[in-house]
Amino acid sequence: MTGDHGAPERKYTRPEAGPTVTDGHVVAGYASLFGKKDQGGDVVQKGAYAASLKRLAARGGRVKMLWQHDPGQPIGIWDEVREDATGLWVKGRILMEVEKGREAAALLQAGAIDGLSIGYRTVKAERDGKGQRLLSELELWEVSLVTFPMLPEARVSAKADAMDDDWRDMAAVFEGARRSLAGH
């Protein structure tokens, strides 16, 4: 199965310690964990990000750091994005010159938010005999700081597949709540 749908997908993660924050604005942690089955039945395989990271590096591109997956709210720069045996590790700087960056840094320091989430497109995946979708190649678009990491394991919040309408509905509820809290 190839995932040439182009629709964004997202996975949340909150490893036991959450992302670390140093100097008030440097963030580091795992944005994705390999081999962990999420609620949508997806398992990200080791090496799933390698081709995407190589393409980004070749063209001088970067994975974007966003606030809550909102493309209109970049809040920093990921200086390091790499795969290791555990998953996708990121380290970056929240830009304190950006209003939302200052807010994000304050919320992280206070422990009000502690999640990382990836935005990506599935390039290659297949189903195994257990109904799991094994994600072997992903095009990584962004890593966001998020409020709702769901569970300590990587989790899905929204999917393009028709069978995942419940997750899409849940994401819409969270988005509505976010907008309501923001006064929109």
Side-chain angles (χ1 to χ4, degrees):
M1 168 197 286
T2 58
D4 201 20
H5 309 307
E9 297 183 68
R10 299 180 183 130
K11 291 197 181 304
Y12 296 101
T13 186
R14 184 186 176 275
E16 290 69 33
T20 60
V21 182
T22 55
D23 297 329
H25 69 282
V26 176
V27 180
Y30 283 95
S32 176
L33 301 172
F34 295 140
K36 303 284 186 178
K37 180 181 174 184
D38 66 28
Q39 292 288 31
D42 288 351
V43 178
V44 178
Q45 306 278 283
K46 287 182 183 177
Y49 302 100
S52 178
L53 294 176
K54 186 176 180 179
R55 284 189 299 271
L56 272 173
R59 69 172 197 257
R62 287 180 177 235
V63 173
K64 305 300 182 197
M65 180 191 290
L66 302 179
W67 176 250
Q68 308 285 357
H69 294 295
D70 185 343
Q73 294 190 59
I75 59 168
I77 297 169
W78 293 117
D79 295 312
E80 295 179 54
V81 180
R82 61 178 163 78
E83 289 184 317
D84 63 19
T86 302
L88 182 72
W89 188 83
V90 295
K91 181 178 180 181
R93 297 169 281 131
I94 297 173
L95 297 176
M96 301 305 282
E97 299 81 5
V98 176
E99 182 179 349
K100 190 56 76 175
R102 288 190 300 275
E103 291 175 24
L107 291 166
L108 276 165
Q109 288 177 339
I113 63 168
D114 57 5
L116 292 172
S117 177
I118 61 171
Y120 64 96
R121 181 181 64 87
T122 301
V123 177
K124 292 181 187 172
E126 63 183 17
R127 297 253 179 221
D128 68 5
K130 301 174 189 173
Q132 299 177 121
R133 191 169 69 142
L134 305 176
L135 305 176
S136 58
E137 186 178 345
L138 301 174
E139 180 182 344
L140 183 63
W141 293 349
E142 52 95 3
V143 176
S144 285
L145 298 175
V146 296
T147 305
F148 298 108
M150 303 292 184
L151 288 177
E153 306 288 332
R155 299 292 300 263
V156 175
S157 70
K159 299 279 246 190
D161 296 341
M163 66 187 213
D164 292 315
D165 286 340
D166 291 342
W167 290 108
R168 191 176 300 109
D169 292 343
M170 183 185 298
V173 167
F174 282 122
E175 178 62 18
R178 184 191 70 77
R179 288 178 185 257
S180 177
L181 290 171
H184 291 99

